[in-house]
Each structure stands twice: as structure tokens, then as C-alpha cells.
Amino acid sequence: MSYRDCRLWELGPTEHILKDLAVAAKTTFNRNDSAIVIVVTHQACQWFIHAKDPSGCIFDVGPRGKQYRPLGSRGTPYAAYDQGSPADYLENQAGYRAFDSAQMYRNEKEVGSTILQYLSSNSNTSQLEREDIHFTSKLESNSSYDSARKSIKQSVQECGLGYIDLFLLHSPYGGKAARLASWKAVEDAIADGEVKTGGVSNFGIKHLQELFASEPRILPAVNQIEVHPFNTRTEITSFCQQHDIVVEAYAPLVRALRMEHPVISSLSKRYSCTPAQLLVRWSLQHGYVPLPKSATKDRIIKNGEVSGFVIDAKDMEELGGLDEYLLTDWDPVDAD
């Protein structure tokens, strides 16, 4: 059994489905006041599938950082675009627990302080604690070891959360020496307890191979890249999954550029879902962690309600055939 196998499992809405899953995986089934937990033991690793949220979460306590990876992670709105408040994502009706930030977004402090305010407020009826939240940030630019190490410390201080769950190199820009030096800074931040898990973003296959060849102490757990049916990046995503690197898909809703595409419209009607839900579901069925964003509270909630349908194989293939290498943002995957 691999992490890749586990994260493709869907958590059903009823307890008996969870029990069936536990039996099928030869696991133990536990229930406490706050959550239903299935514990899968595999060699030196333990896989925790956490059913507290409607979308479910997977907790990885394996050798790559001992930190959970959310199955249904949602992106924090970019502050520059005035896309709502992180508090809207945290409320019980929305059920979001994972937030994507970055030094470049200039919102680490805003997101961190909003999370802390929510956790200590009366609105936190689920009695969430810091450990229930997954906060991601990213290094703005690769440079020397000392500069990267200092920058990571500043991010930890800026967010105010005590530590960062997942810290990524935001891009491969800067050249080989800067990439490897910056990654060493991430490794040391993990060793010092400032970061739980390390990863990369916008890395192409050659950048990942370069990192592997350097024989790092810690391998990247995540590669966050733009992925959606109109830019499937099959070679990169396949490489990542073959090497047990989680693909986090940013811009999974194509920044609303293809919501009225005939295929998207037709399949949304077939599955009685919104175009956004269809796109999120496509990502999940590929085993990716989608990071959708919205400025509207109603859409924030709906974007997470994707457990009620499954796209069949034929329709998944049709969606994959829409690939036109559409870019909605930068594209550093071929950078030197």
C-alpha cells in the first residue's frame, strides 16, 4: 500500500462506509468525540485518514516530514485581489482547514492573525486548535543559504503561528546553486522545528531530478504547479506521482476562463454540479490537492462540496482531452 493508494480513497458520509474501508485496509477503526479516524499501518509509516471535514484529510506520519497532507486543501485568497477573508473559509459551514500563502503574496501576517483570531473566538464551535490547521508559505526567491534561512525565519515570525506546516521553494528561478542552497535552508528549518514539511512549486522534471541527484537529507513532499483540464502537465504530474511527490494544483478553476466551455457546461449538467465543482472533482480523482479560490462565501462553501458524485472514466478522458497548455499565471517549469 502506498500514500498514492490511500489518498485516492473517498470518505463516505456514513460511519459504516468508514468501517468497511478500515476492514478493507486491514486497519484499526477508532472514534472519539471530535472525529472518526482510520489508522493504516504500513511498514515504518502510519497513514491517518481523518474524516472530520466533509472532504476528508490524509495525515502522513511517514518519513518525509511527519506532517499531514490535506486531501481537499483550499487556497487562501490573495490579499491583493481582495478575495474575501480566511475567516470565511474557516467557518464550520465551509470546513476549510488548509491555507496557501507565500512571501510573494504579502499576506502571511493577515492569514496567520485571522486564523489565530478565529481559533480563540466563539465562532470556533468545533474547538479547532493550531494543530488542526495546515498553513503553507513559500520562499519568494532562491538565493544563498544564509539569505533563504533568514527569510524562512521571517515567515515563521510574520505568520505568528509558531511554525509553518508546509514550506515551498516558490519557483526554480535563480539557477542550480541557488535552488540547492535554498533547499538546504528548508531542510535545516525542518530540523529546527520551524517547518514541518518541505516542498517545491513550479518545478519541472529536470529541477526535481537535479534535486534528487544532490542526495538531499529530505526529499520534497509536494510540487505545487498549475494543473487543470486545459493544462494537464501529464509528464510532470506522472513523474511526481511515480516519486511519491504530492501534486498540489493551483488555479484548478482555470481562473474562471473556461467556465462556459461546452464540455464543462455539458458535464456540469450531467453531474448536477457547478463548473467549479466539476473542476475540483477532476483534480481529486487524479490524486491532486486542488487549491481553489473564490471571493464569494457561497462559492467558497460549494467548491468544497464535491463528495456527492464521481466523474466516470469516459468523462475524465474527455476532460483530459481539453488540454491546450493554457497558462493563467507564470510558467517557470523550464527555467535554467
Side-chain angles (χ1 to χ4, degrees):
M1 182 184 299
S2 69
Y3 172 65
R4 190 158 54 248
D5 296 328
C6 291
R7 69 184 152 91
L8 289 175
W9 290 342
E10 288 296 328
L11 298 179
T14 58
E15 187 168 321
H16 78 272
I17 294 177
L18 293 170
K19 287 182 177 177
D20 290 345
L21 177 57
V23 171
K26 298 180 179 179
T27 69
T28 59
F29 176 84
N30 301 301
R31 179 166 189 160
N32 57 39
D33 292 338
S34 62
I36 300 171
V37 180
I38 296 174
V39 182
V40 184
T41 302
H42 174 58
Q43 296 179 359
C45 304
Q46 287 185 312
W47 306 100
F48 293 76
I49 302 178
H50 192 215
K52 187 172 186 178
D53 300 331
S55 60
C57 285
I58 289 179
F59 290 70
D60 172 12
V61 193
R64 291 201 183 181
K66 298 183 180 179
Q67 180 59 25
Y68 70 82
R69 300 168 183 169
L71 176 63
S73 175
R74 283 80 162 188
T76 299
Y78 288 42
Y81 290 85
D82 192 27
Q83 291 190 308
S85 165
D88 291 338
Y89 288 76
L90 279 163
E91 290 184 2
N92 289 334
Q93 193 174 5
Y96 288 68
R97 301 292 177 259
F99 297 88
D100 184 65
S101 182
Q103 295 173 354
M104 188 181 295
Y105 305 161
R106 306 292 186 261
N107 68 354
E108 291 172 315
K109 184 175 183 178
E110 175 197 354
V111 175
S113 63
T114 303
I115 289 171
L116 292 175
Q117 289 170 18
Y118 179 84
L119 293 179
S120 62
S121 72
N122 293 331
S123 298
N124 183 15
T125 57
S126 295
Q127 297 183 325
L128 299 175
E129 299 180 357
R130 166 64 183 92
E131 292 72 20
D132 297 310
I133 304 299
H134 189 273
F135 178 75
T136 298
S137 195
K138 312 178 192 72
L139 186 69
E140 183 165 5
S141 59
N142 300 316
S143 54
S144 67
Y145 169 86
D146 289 341
S147 178
R149 192 71 189 86
K150 180 180 179 181
S151 188
I152 296 171
K153 287 179 179 292
Q154 289 175 338
S155 282
V156 175
Q157 183 177 2
E158 188 77 4
C159 73
L161 295 171
Y163 60 87
I164 293 174
D165 298 275
L166 174 64
F167 195 86
L168 312 177
L169 303 186
H170 206 154
S171 81
Y173 288 142
K176 178 179 179 180
R179 286 191 291 270
L180 296 182
S182 296
W183 183 253
K184 186 176 186 300
V186 172
E187 291 179 317
D188 286 350
I190 293 172
D192 291 343
E194 298 166 1
V195 170
K196 297 295 184 181
T197 302
V200 297
S201 181
N202 297 296
F203 270 43
I205 293 175
K206 67 179 183 180
H207 304 124
L208 294 169
Q209 290 174 328
E210 169 191 278
L211 183 54
F212 294 162
S214 72
E215 299 183 350
R217 288 170 290 158
I218 300 173
L219 293 172
V222 169
N223 188 13
Q224 186 182 119
I225 54 177
E226 178 174 353
V227 181
H228 44 71
F230 300 91
N231 189 355
T232 58
R233 297 193 189 272
T234 304
E235 291 185 3
I236 297 177
T237 56
S238 296
F239 181 89
C240 288
Q241 292 182 327
Q242 289 165 9
H243 291 82
D244 202 26
I245 297 173
V246 176
V247 174
E248 285 193 347
Y250 72 75
L253 307 185
V254 207
R255 303 198 194 278
L257 295 175
R258 293 292 185 273
M259 292 300 192
E260 297 181 3
H261 187 283
V263 173
I264 300 299
S265 296
S266 174
L267 292 180
S268 297
K269 292 178 181 177
R270 179 177 302 174
Y271 292 101
S272 300
C273 65
T274 68
Q277 288 172 327
L278 182 77
L279 292 168
V280 169
R281 186 72 210 178
W282 178 89
S283 284
L284 290 174
Q285 287 187 214
H286 274 291
Y288 309 150
V289 176
L291 305 173
K293 298 184 299 179
S294 177
T296 307
K297 189 171 182 178
D298 180 59
R299 290 176 181 171
I300 288 172
I301 295 170
K302 287 184 177 179
N303 288 346
E305 295 175 343
V306 294
S307 61
F309 68 100
V310 176
I311 304 171
D312 67 33
K314 181 179 178 181
D315 292 335
M316 286 290 289
E317 183 177 357
E318 183 175 14
L319 286 168
L322 300 177
D323 191 354
E324 57 182 275
Y325 206 86
L326 174 64
L327 297 171
T328 69
D329 210 315
W330 57 344
D331 190 32
V333 297
D334 293 320
D336 293 331

